[in-house]
Amino acid sequence: MESATHEGSEQPPERETRVSLRQYGALLGRYLGAQRRSVVILGLLLLGVTVLPLVEPQVIRMFIDDAVAGQPVAHLVRLASLFVVLAVLIQFLGLGQAWFGERVGWHATNELRADLARHTLDLDMEFHNSTTPGEMVERIDGDVNAMSTFFSHFVASVIGSGLLLVGVLVLVTREHLGVGLVLSLFALATVVLLSRVREVAVPHAAAERQATADMFGFLEERLAGTDDLRSLGAGDHVLRGWARVFRADYAARMRAERIGSVIWIGTSGLFGAATAANLAIAAWLYHRGTMSIGTVFLMYQYMRLLRAPLEEIADQIKQFQEAGGGIRRVHDLLARQPAQVRAGTHLLPAGPLAVELRSVEFAYHPGEPILRGIDLEIGAGRVLGLLGRTGAGKTTIGRLLTRLYDAQDGTVRLGGVDVAECEITALRRRIGVVTQDVQLFRATLRENITLFDGDVDDRRVIEVLHDLDLGTWLDGLPSGLDTVMQSGGQGMSAGQSQLVAFARVFLRDPGLVILDEASSRLDPATEQLIESAVDRLLLGRTAILIAHRLATVARADDIAVIEAGRIVEHGRRRQLAADPSSRLSALLATGLGLEGVA
């Protein structure tokens, strides 16, 4: 059986792209647009949280100036009560804003995560063969998590802080043009600094996300090969590799953190200078008698209020620095399109499917052909035994039929329909494939058999398991169909895992069945259990048996032998077996089965 790992030849390598503000806006519009009601409520809360803090200093100024002027206590109590009401209301509005912000962000990131998962499942095998599972986890989960603040807080915080900033500057300028000018220059300098830092920061954040993805990918690969690594004494080598990858991740994180710290240091320095200038001007105006003590305090309060939006903007820019790297990588992933045309319109006919390959050429890598001018026909309802050495091209034929790959030349037809003109999902529903490596998921037995299709009736699942002589095994499970299977089939024998794979095919009722050395992991006793079940599975269906044992080939109507990517023998099994000059006859004469040949 050919290796399933091949580097992509069709898809160009990923390159870092610059994501524009328009694309940021499009991303927000796409995932926030579906939550218009919540976004509107969030906007109203944001408006309240922005406006009310501007009113508070005005109330304090009135209280101070009226107290100095000797106004009645009742009047001062009313002003103090108003201040308390405003303070409590601001807290409640802030709580509501935080709740709705998190809610909006949660829904947006979940939708994005689902879209990414769907998109990557539609990408070609070249992409999946060149991308480790660890990197995929980091892309779909880690990068999206880094963007959660972008969806939940960034827009609200930046817009709210911007409105508050403008409000403070307008109100201060109304009180005194000079003080307003100083604060405006301070705000402008801060915004310019933050903008410049952002341009430098986002590439470092993207590099940090990539380093983390590389680290997870390395870890996943080594954990998957733990048994081989330990048996070969490669532990020291793995630790050295882990140290190298971890150092790279640490260095990337430190570079990103240093850039982020520049934001905080810069804004703090500018704020200190602006505060000193503001207090100096206010004190001078007070001594000249042109500004009341209440107004001086008002200026101080607005200066303090000015710091909050600037620090919030600085913090959000730092968060945006982290999210920007994730956004860039997510954008790159979404921009990557499959080379295969998936939106076909033709449907396969009902019943068993005839198979036809005409002049099919295919190579995983340019200049290294796997299939060379393959011509092969299988009549509807007939069973073909496909024999050949490892790497001859047997499994590749199955991959072309299911459109895991497309042929570079020639035509592949099922039921008289070119597979390239079929919608991929509909095509694959009509084909049942069982390989020697069965993937089981950490889910219930029901979900593993139905592949998470909740529309399948339990009675049908139980019927299939009894047909496979798995009724006794099912009855012995602690929770029946609700028993949770372990990932990778832990706790199950190879035979039981294989039988679960057969049950999946039974449920789908396909028109073509491909058994790719499906019984190679079964002991003779377990294989005997499914002999009658396999006969029922093949009844009335077209089948391709990539054979490993003579018992499997014995049920084939026809035999095809493939060598070096070419069909070198094809005919009826009985005729080939009776012909002493045929390759099949030579194999049968050895009496050793097909191990090492098929």
Side-chain angles (χ1 to χ4, degrees), residues 555-567:
R555 59 168 47 90
D557 301 313
D558 306 303
I559 295 293
V561 180
I562 184 170
E563 291 182 1
R566 301 181 187 277
I567 300 294

Side-chain angles (χ1 to χ4, degrees), residues 574-586:
R574 294 184 183 277
Q575 293 177 353
L576 292 176
D579 182 357
S581 64
S582 71
R583 286 175 168 81
L584 176 62
S585 180

Side-chain angles (χ1 to χ4, degrees), residues 85-360:
V85 170
L86 288 174
V88 173
L89 186 57
I90 289 172
Q91 293 301 315
F92 274 105
L93 291 178
L95 181 62
Q97 179 192 343
W99 189 87
F100 272 95
E102 290 296 334
R103 185 173 183 272
V104 168
W106 177 260
H107 284 288
T109 50
N110 278 350
E111 286 296 321
L112 175 58
R113 191 178 287 109
D115 285 348
L116 281 175
R118 280 190 291 265
H119 180 74
T120 53
L121 287 175
D122 288 340
L123 292 177
D124 303 322
M125 290 302 297
E126 287 87 351
F127 170 81
H128 291 285
N129 289 331
S130 61
T131 307
T132 66
E135 184 173 358
M136 287 306 304
V137 169
E138 181 63 16
R139 281 290 189 94
I140 294 176
D141 189 61
D143 285 344
V144 174
N145 282 339
M147 294 169 59
S148 62
T149 301
F150 174 70
F151 283 118
S152 62
H153 293 302
F154 180 77
V155 174
S157 296
V158 170
I159 293 178
S161 298
L163 291 175
L164 184 58
L165 178 64
V166 171
V168 168
L169 294 178
V170 169
L171 291 175
V172 170
T173 302
R174 285 185 60 189
E175 296 294 335
H176 194 278
L177 180 62
V179 177
L181 180 61
V182 170
L183 294 188
S184 298
L185 291 175
F186 160 61
L188 178 63
T190 303
V191 170
V192 170
L193 174 64
L194 295 178
S195 299
R196 294 293 178 86
V197 170
R198 174 190 171 276
E199 294 296 326
V200 178
V202 171
H204 289 283
E208 178 191 359
R209 303 304 310 170
Q210 182 61 50
T212 302
D214 293 342
M215 181 180 66
F216 278 113
F218 181 92
L219 179 61
E220 181 275 331
E221 287 181 336
R222 272 54 182 184
L223 289 177
T226 297
D227 290 345
D228 290 338
L229 292 171
R230 293 176 65 182
S231 63
L232 295 173
D236 290 342
H237 169 72
V238 172
L239 289 176
R240 286 193 296 271
W242 172 252
R244 182 181 66 255
V245 172
F246 191 80
R247 280 196 301 268
D249 180 68
Y250 174 76
R253 287 176 181 272
M254 289 301 296
R255 285 193 295 269
E257 286 295 324
R258 282 196 295 268
I259 295 296
S261 66
V262 171
I263 300 174
W264 183 84
I265 293 172
T267 54
S268 295
L270 286 173
F271 180 79
T275 301
N278 178 56
L279 290 176
I281 294 174
W284 178 67
L285 293 173
Y286 173 72
H287 282 292
R288 288 188 59 188
T290 59
M291 182 176 288
S292 69
I293 187 63
T295 304
V296 171
F297 188 81
L298 176 75
M299 293 296 184
Y300 175 72
Q301 285 293 95
Y302 276 146
M303 188 64 209
R304 291 184 58 193
L305 199 59
L306 188 65
R307 181 169 188 172
L310 289 174
E311 288 185 341
E312 181 66 24
I313 291 174
D315 182 64
Q316 288 302 317
I317 290 296
K318 184 178 180 182
Q319 296 291 337
F320 185 72
Q321 167 191 341
E322 299 176 3
I327 292 171
R328 174 174 291 172
R329 284 159 49 82
V330 165
H331 179 270
D332 288 342
L333 183 56
L334 289 174
R336 182 164 187 161
Q337 297 299 317
Q340 291 176 311
V341 178
R342 306 178 62 86
T345 57
H346 290 70
L347 298 177
L348 297 179
L353 299 171
V355 177
E356 181 183 0
L357 286 81
R358 292 296 180 194
S359 304
V360 171

Side-chain angles (χ1 to χ4, degrees), residues 344-502:
T345 57
H346 290 70
L347 298 177
L348 297 179
L353 299 171
V355 177
E356 181 183 0
L357 286 81
R358 292 296 180 194
S359 304
V360 171
E361 304 275 346
F362 179 77
Y364 292 110
H365 308 292
E368 301 178 15
I370 299 296
L371 300 180
R372 309 163 186 260
I374 291 289
D375 289 302
L376 181 64
E377 287 188 32
I378 309 172
R382 296 189 67 80
V383 178
L384 174 74
L386 185 59
L387 312 180
R389 296 181 180 275
T390 298
K394 309 183 302 299
T395 298
T396 299
I397 290 177
R399 291 173 180 163
L400 295 183
L401 291 171
T402 55
R403 287 200 71 197
L404 291 179
Y405 297 89
D406 282 337
Q408 276 97 35
D409 198 7
T411 306
V412 179
R413 292 189 177 91
L414 285 178
V417 180
D418 191 332
V419 296
E421 298 176 354
C422 295
E423 199 280 324
I424 282 187
T425 302
L427 168 73
R428 291 171 181 169
R429 286 198 184 106
R430 298 297 322 282
I431 304 174
V433 181
V434 181
T435 67
Q436 61 180 328
D437 297 317
V438 179
Q439 177 62 56
L440 296 182
F441 304 95
R442 183 173 177 81
T444 64
L445 175 61
R446 177 192 298 104
E447 291 168 330
N448 269 285
I449 293 176
T450 64
L451 291 178
F452 306 94
D453 184 354
D455 294 332
V456 179
D457 190 86
D458 281 0
R459 288 174 295 182
R460 176 59 180 151
V461 178
I462 294 173
E463 178 186 343
V464 165
L465 291 174
H466 280 281
D467 286 343
L468 290 170
D469 290 326
L470 286 174
T472 302
W473 173 68
L474 175 64
D475 294 337
L477 294 175
S479 302
L481 292 177
D482 292 316
T483 301
V484 176
M485 303 286 100
Q486 297 300 314
S487 178
Q490 298 179 31
M492 298 178 65
S493 68
Q496 289 170 332
S497 299
Q498 206 75 36
L499 291 171
V500 170
F502 273 94

Side-chain angles (χ1 to χ4, degrees), residues 52-62 83 294 297-298 301-302 305:
L52 292 183
L54 295 173
V55 178
E56 277 187 318
Q58 298 287 347
V59 175
I60 295 175
R61 177 177 68 170
M62 292 171 60
F83 178 82
F297 188 81
L298 176 75
Q301 285 293 95
Y302 276 146
L305 199 59

